[in-house]
Amino acid sequence: MNKDLESLVLSEDQIAEKVKDAAAWLDERFKAGDTPPLAISVLKGSVFFFCDVVRAMQTPVQLDFMTVSSYGSSTKSTGVPKIVMDLSSSVQDRDVILIEDIVDSGHTLVRMKELIMGRGAKSFTVVSLFDKPARRAVPIRADYSCFEIGDEFIVGYGLDYAQQYRNLPYVGILKREIYEK
Ligand code: IMP
Ligand code: MG
């Protein structure tokens, strides 16, 4: 385990199990559709989870990407998520699957939902790897979340602190001394 981590939250094997379950849930939900849903990765945090989930799905999906930034380099959200890179496809009349790394304050999700429904999407389904319910500032939740955590700052498998640790293949709790200097 990386030396900056205090403990492991999800190992590579545990992540693989969560991915399989999330993909099966999406397959069940979208199997009947005639138009493939549009799966959107909220970058950068969801990049690995997104790639793993869409590849584990049996249902045909189309892919798109959006970069949203809300943190700067602290561990607390600014509450004003900024769209740094927009989608390249239209969501009009589409079933949209938003794939997130973590729902924390909920501000990012609220913003994404307003934006995507405002552009005329037919439906909006959110799958998140993590949920931090204790930190919620706005009442919103993912339709499916894989793992609930307390008020801890976690990194790895896409999740960062100041753009670091994203490429760890597992997820762990970052030692407080790293960000409380
Ligand atoms: P929000 O507060 O729900 O808007 O979440 C904003 C974003 O903050 C998430 O999509 C993550 O990218 C990031 N974030 C929230 N909690 C953590 C964490 O524990 N580790 C790393 N990133 C986090
Ligand atoms: Mg994110």
Side-chain angles (χ1 to χ4, degrees):
M1 194 175 71
N2 184 287
K3 63 171 176 34
D4 295 346
L5 300 185
E6 155 189 316
S7 61
L8 193 66
V9 173
L10 287 180
S11 68
E12 290 190 63
D13 287 350
Q14 288 169 322
I15 291 171
E17 283 301 310
K18 302 291 181 197
V19 163
K20 234 199 292 174
D21 293 348
W25 185 85
L26 283 167
D27 280 336
E28 186 56 35
R29 185 157 178 138
F30 290 101
K31 66 183 173 201
D34 31 341
T35 321
L38 182 68
I40 297 174
S41 169
V42 184
L43 296 171
K44 301 167 197 163
S46 82
V47 62
F48 303 120
F49 181 54
F50 175 85
C51 292
D52 287 344
V53 167
V54 296
R55 286 183 303 168
M57 286 175 71
Q58 304 293 314
T59 316
V61 281
Q62 293 178 1
L63 314 182
D64 210 336
F65 304 87
M66 186 176 235
T67 307
V68 179
S69 163
S70 62
Y71 262 61
S73 52
S74 95
T75 58
K76 298 273 183 288
S77 164
T78 55
V80 197
K82 206 171 103 204
I83 290 156
V84 179
M85 182 189 77
D86 206 342
L87 301 170
S88 65
S89 33
S90 165
V91 298
Q92 176 102 48
D93 300 322
R94 300 296 301 271
D95 290 309
V96 168
I97 301 168
L98 194 81
I99 304 207
E100 262 287 17
D101 49 0
I102 187 166
V103 183
D104 184 27
S105 70
H107 288 301
T108 305
L109 202 49
V110 166
R111 175 86 182 89
M112 294 298 290
K113 186 171 185 181
E114 277 170 7
L115 187 91
I116 285 165
M117 293 314 288
R119 289 178 182 177
K122 186 160 84 180
S123 69
F124 182 74
T125 300
V126 181
V127 170
S128 181
L129 177 56
F130 289 102
D131 186 16
K132 246 194 229 184
R135 299 233 328 132
R136 203 72 93 253
V138 280
I140 193 160
R141 50 182 305 184
D143 298 280
Y144 184 96
S145 56
C146 299
F147 200 81
E148 201 172 285
I149 51 159
D151 189 3
E152 306 276 11
F153 199 78
I154 56 173
V155 294
Y157 192 59
L159 290 155
D160 74 307
Y161 169 62
Q163 301 303 325
Q164 293 196 77
Y165 312 106
R166 288 195 197 274
N167 67 324
L168 298 176
Y170 46 79
V171 178
I173 297 176
L174 188 64
K175 286 182 182 162
R176 283 190 176 269
E177 67 203 58
I178 306 290
Y179 55 89
E180 282 177 354
K181 276 190 264 212

